[in-house]
Amino acid sequence: GCLALGPIVNSARANAPLVIASVPWRNVDILNEIYRPMVKLLEDKLNTRVRFLVATDYKELGKRLNLGAADLGIFGPNSYVEAKDIYPGIEYLATCMQPTAHYNSLIIARKDSSITSLAHLKGKSFAFTDKGSTSGFLYPMLMLTSQGLNPETDFSITYFLKKHDKVYEAVARGSIDAGGVSRTALDRAKQKNGDQFRIIAESDPIPRNAVVAAAHVTSGMKARIRQILSVAAKDPVFMQDKSILKGFAVKSDKFYDIVRKARRLN
């Protein structure tokens, strides 16, 4: 019943909703669409209202969880590792499957450009998404530095365009020479801009977004949510037709050690 839900929310209001907040890795409307099945499922199984919101960035999401202004957080892999360092009390619950638990980062240029290898990037313009991004910054940096390129000094100019779609678009238009992006956004970018992209480098597999619980969420509630998410894919309430979210893999915090390793190497 609802009584058991009392302690989960750091709030005087007895029937406060469960608040899930995500990093802004796509625009708000699209994220609402992607996570709607998750919201619906948790409302149904926990018999409580669930509110979904998008944080302004990964730092704000960490603060929300820490202050009790959100109960669950959805972080990108790099921002999860960073938030866990700053707020050790947050607890990993599950990994989003879209449709699998892994993806890759790419370095791309235009097909008709002279850039066919990472070595050709010297003196060229380059775009990342955001310093908190795993596939739009952390792994591209790793691919560049492993080839002896210094992104601080070797590019003519460096941009941070926030969203993967914008980096693809800038490369397609020729307003930048190359960029670091997520492979997840490639098909969408081809539909929008035509098949104009050459993949110069591809990263090792990267774990997908982590669902975490704030420190104030009770251990009983964490266990229930983890259980619900682990079998979400088979649940008729978890409608997956429109969403790219196909379920959740319950791994452990160690699943993100590969990201910690990448951060150390940068």
Side-chain angles (χ1 to χ4, degrees):
C2 286
L3 290 174
L5 290 172
I8 69 161
V9 180
N10 211 353
S11 163
R13 291 167 302 146
N15 62 345
L18 181 79
V19 178
I20 306 175
S22 168
V23 286
W25 59 278
R26 296 284 302 277
N27 76 42
V28 177
D29 292 346
I30 292 169
L31 291 177
N32 273 312
E33 190 68 37
I34 289 170
Y35 294 113
R36 187 170 291 134
M38 178 188 186
V39 169
K40 229 170 103 182
L41 183 72
L42 290 172
E43 281 191 329
D44 187 73
K45 300 294 172 197
L46 297 171
N47 191 24
T48 188
R49 286 181 304 132
V50 175
R51 201 174 137 229
F52 176 77
L53 55 90
V54 179
T56 51
D57 57 30
Y58 65 101
K59 289 195 169 102
E60 195 219 352
L61 177 53
K63 283 183 192 145
R64 273 181 183 279
L65 292 165
N66 192 47
L67 296 169
D71 305 300
L72 301 183
I74 299 165
F75 282 100
N78 186 34
S79 55
Y80 163 64
V81 166
E82 197 162 307
K84 183 74 176 159
D85 280 348
I86 302 167
Y87 308 110
I90 64 172
E91 193 179 318
Y92 167 87
L93 297 179
T95 297
C96 297
M97 296 178 71
Q98 295 161 219
T100 59
H102 285 98
Y103 69 120
N104 301 80
S105 167
L106 307 174
I107 289 177
I108 55 157
R110 261 177 76 105
K111 261 189 185 161
D112 58 8
S113 78
S114 60
I115 301 166
T116 57
S117 76
L118 291 174
H120 296 154
L121 292 175
K122 238 184 155 137
K124 301 287 196 287
S125 58
F126 195 91
F128 297 104
T129 57
D130 178 294
K131 284 198 171 164
S133 171
T134 313
S135 57
F137 181 70
L138 181 66
Y139 276 78
M141 282 287 284
L142 200 55
M143 290 187 274
L144 294 164
T145 53
S146 69
Q147 291 298 306
L149 284 161
N150 180 347
E152 303 276 314
T153 55
D154 286 342
F155 295 139
S156 60
I157 186 163
T158 304
Y159 298 97
F160 288 91
L161 300 181
K162 291 289 185 192
K163 293 200 164 42
H164 296 276
D165 298 350
K166 286 190 176 157
V167 177
Y168 276 108
E169 202 168 308
V171 169
R173 282 192 185 151
S175 49
I176 52 163
D177 296 314
V181 284
S182 167
R183 181 181 263 289
T184 317
L186 177 62
D187 289 342
R188 207 166 55 239
K190 282 182 183 172
Q191 281 165 8
K192 193 176 173 192
N193 306 288
D195 188 1
Q196 305 204 50
F197 307 104
R198 175 185 290 146
I199 294 169
I200 307 301
E202 181 161 12
S203 74
D204 290 334
I206 308 166
R208 284 201 183 272
N209 292 357
V211 180
V212 308
H216 67 264
V217 179
T218 64
S219 54
M221 180 50 81
K222 283 180 206 167
R224 275 180 80 187
I225 292 171
R226 192 180 269 131
Q227 165 47 17
I228 291 164
L229 296 181
S230 73
V231 293
K234 297 188 189 79
D235 202 295
V237 177
F238 183 81
M239 280 182 24
Q240 306 156 52
D241 50 347
K242 286 200 192 95
S243 176
I244 56 171
L245 184 61
K246 300 303 176 198
F248 301 88
V250 175
K251 307 276 188 184
S252 76
D253 172 77
K254 285 194 168 43
F255 189 53
Y256 293 86
D257 282 353
I258 186 168
V259 180
R260 293 183 172 98
K261 187 179 155 204
R263 286 169 64 87
R264 282 197 297 274
L265 290 170
N266 264 332

